[in-house]
Amino acid sequence: MHARAAGDLAAGLVGPSGHRTAATPSWHITVASFEPVSPSVSRQVVAAVAARTDPFVVHAHGYGLFVGAHGSSLIMYVPVVRGPRLEALRVDLHRSLEDAGVRVAHWLDADHWTPHITLIDRDMAEIDVARLAAFVRQRQHPSWHVPVGELAVSTAHGEYSDPITLGVR
């Protein structure tokens, strides 16, 4: 239900020239970002964290924009409330990666992380922000309770591993 609603919203965002933007293909909340390591190491660490984490639900509501360095990109997202279960997952994953010798990106540490679900990623150059605001203002946007039941590893190229189900011991 949430993925369909987010997809419908992203599909409705058009640039001034009338072409649609590219929507994010896999709805997710980024919990950790780290230097490239062997897929077996990252998958092993993520699988161990997933096994000891029970599924939970997060609350998401509203819209936000991130602006890239020097205005180079514009990203639209739905903010996710940083509740205790999501924070515990982030802390466990970061510690486990660091224990495995993996360097975790600082922009996802406790003082910098803004949990969110990305709607449009780096393909908004053609979108008029005023038209975007008018578009989202017209849409009903209920609060979402989004189940978190899987973890996956993605690469810098946007490729995802098979999902790892939470709580499977």
Side-chain angles (χ1 to χ4, degrees):
M1 175 175 111
H2 308 299
R4 184 181 62 229
D8 290 347
L9 172 65
L13 301 173
V14 295
S17 62
H19 77 281
R20 280 201 317 199
T21 65
T24 301
S26 179
W27 309 109
H28 65 277
I29 302 167
T30 301
V31 180
S33 181
F34 46 90
E35 65 186 15
V37 296
S38 90
S40 63
V41 169
S42 59
R43 178 143 178 104
Q44 181 180 14
V45 170
V46 171
V49 171
R52 61 182 173 259
T53 304
D54 290 326
F56 59 97
V57 174
V58 295
H59 178 83
H61 184 79
Y63 300 105
L65 295 173
F66 289 131
V67 178
H70 311 294
S72 61
S73 62
L74 190 61
I75 298 167
M76 182 179 183
Y77 64 92
V78 175
V80 173
V81 175
R82 189 174 170 174
R85 301 282 309 274
L86 185 58
E87 179 61 11
L89 172 61
R90 186 197 65 78
V91 167
D92 188 11
L93 187 55
H94 284 223
R95 282 187 185 145
S96 298
L97 287 163
E98 289 166 355
D99 288 349
V102 178
R103 197 168 134 223
V104 179
H106 77 283
W107 54 271
L108 287 167
D109 65 19
D111 293 334
H112 298 97
W113 183 44
T114 302
H116 64 279
I117 300 168
T118 301
L119 294 175
I120 304 292
D121 188 6
R122 296 178 181 86
D123 195 21
M124 291 181 61
E126 295 275 330
I127 291 180
D128 178 314
V129 176
R131 286 182 51 199
L132 171 65
F135 175 77
V136 297
R137 187 179 62 211
Q138 295 173 22
R139 296 187 54 86
Q140 178 183 4
H141 182 67
S143 293
W144 294 339
H145 289 92
V146 182
V148 176
E150 299 174 332
L151 297 180
V153 178
S154 68
T155 67
H157 305 291
E159 299 147 354
Y160 290 85
S161 70
D162 291 333
I164 303 165
T165 303
L166 296 181
V168 176
R169 291 163 177 82

